[in-house]
Amino acid sequence: QAIAGQSAGNDIRVSRVDVEEATAWKDNLFLFNNTDIRLVMRELERWYDIDVAYAGNINAHLNGMISRDTNLSQVLGMLELTDEAHFKIEGKMVTVMP
């Protein structure tokens, strides 16, 4: 599926849209499809009202589908199973480590 939008310079831009990814929120899901870890963590920040810090350089892309009803520690545990990143939770602060 594609959507078209008009930029400031009157050029028309067409972009591919992953419908499943765009509508996952209505199904109460986090859906990651080769998603950069920083984008994953930004989504978790908003949903769980946490702050995220990074310890070291992390270049990870994640795939998966997780219910938004899952508690934060379980979500981070599932993400750790990828062995792409590890997490430390201290109150509302989550540190992402290689």
Side-chain angles (χ1 to χ4, degrees):
Q1 187 151 14
I3 59 170
Q6 195 166 3
S7 69
N10 292 330
D11 296 332
I12 293 180
R13 175 178 41 99
V14 177
S15 302
R16 303 275 303 136
V17 174
D18 183 335
V19 174
E20 184 179 51
E21 200 169 317
T23 61
W25 64 270
K26 78 171 182 56
D27 295 326
N28 205 34
L29 297 170
F30 293 113
L31 180 63
F32 308 122
N33 184 13
N34 197 33
T35 306
D36 182 274
I37 188 143
R38 292 181 189 279
L39 294 175
V40 169
M41 296 311 296
R42 191 173 316 142
E43 194 167 340
L44 297 181
E45 274 182 309
R46 288 191 298 254
W47 186 256
Y48 292 104
D49 191 27
I50 58 172
D51 296 311
V52 174
Y54 297 88
N57 187 20
I58 299 165
N59 184 19
H61 289 80
L62 303 174
N63 295 292
M65 185 181 312
I66 303 171
S67 169
R68 290 181 185 260
D69 293 331
T70 306
N71 73 46
L72 177 62
S73 60
Q74 289 176 312
V75 170
L76 296 177
M78 289 179 212
L79 296 178
E80 280 193 335
L81 291 175
T82 66
D83 208 30
E84 294 285 340
H86 301 281
F87 306 92
K88 183 168 102 176
I89 304 172
E90 294 177 304
K92 290 182 64 148
M93 175 61 72
V94 174
T95 304
V96 184
M97 302 168 288

